Amino acid sequence: MEAKEVLSSLLLELRRGTVVLSVLSQLTQPMYGYNLVRVLSEGGMPVEANTLYPLLRRLESQGLLKSEWETGGAKPRKYYVITEAGRTVYDALKAHWVDTVGHVNALLNADKEDANDGNTGD
């Protein structure tokens, strides 16, 4: 397998969990799918609609989101919003994310410091 393929696979793996966290973070107010795609993309987390909609359905089936159809506009739209259980899970995920990022950054910075010190770790 080429390095480019390996990198692509690893980036996809890394992104999977961050998409869930990103989606939950944006649904404190009701939002329909296409708007969520736009908001995530503008926030630097582009997500394809064919990835997002199954994720929204899964999160709803897990009780983390609830949905409601709005039929008053030009076309019906299904709005999603985080539930109380979803908020609890989101808060825990967010805390874990912040903690993990801090640890990973410390490891990455230690790697830089080792390289700058000429220390090979042997």
Side-chain angles (χ1 to χ4, degrees):
M1 190 182 263
E2 289 185 37
K4 190 174 182 179
E5 291 173 16
V6 171
L7 177 60
S8 179
S9 174
L10 291 173
L11 288 173
L12 181 62
E13 197 174 312
L14 183 62
R15 236 176 149 271
R16 282 192 178 121
T18 59
V19 169
V20 171
L21 182 61
S22 298
V23 165
L24 291 175
S25 77
Q26 298 305 300
L27 291 175
T28 56
Q29 298 295 317
M31 195 177 300
Y32 60 95
Y34 178 75
N35 192 35
L36 185 54
V37 166
R38 186 183 54 75
V39 167
L40 290 171
S41 183
E42 289 173 358
M45 181 60 72
V47 178
E48 298 289 327
N50 62 356
T51 299
L52 181 64
Y53 287 106
L55 174 61
L56 291 171
R57 287 190 294 273
R58 181 170 57 90
L59 294 174
E60 186 174 20
S61 74
Q62 293 170 330
L64 304 182
L65 300 178
K66 64 181 176 180
S67 66
E68 189 172 301
W69 282 97
E70 175 62 51
T71 57
K75 69 179 198 178
R77 290 187 171 140
K78 191 173 190 179
Y79 283 78
Y80 293 88
V81 69
I82 198 166
T83 62
E84 189 175 322
R87 182 53 136 168
T88 300
V89 168
Y90 166 68
D91 288 342
L93 282 174
K94 181 180 174 184
H96 186 70
W97 171 260
V98 169
D99 190 46
T100 299
V101 167
H103 290 300
V104 170
N105 282 339
L107 289 169
L108 296 176
N109 289 331
D111 183 47
K112 263 191 228 179
E113 290 169 11
D114 288 347
N116 290 339
D117 292 342
N119 183 355
T120 60
D122 293 317

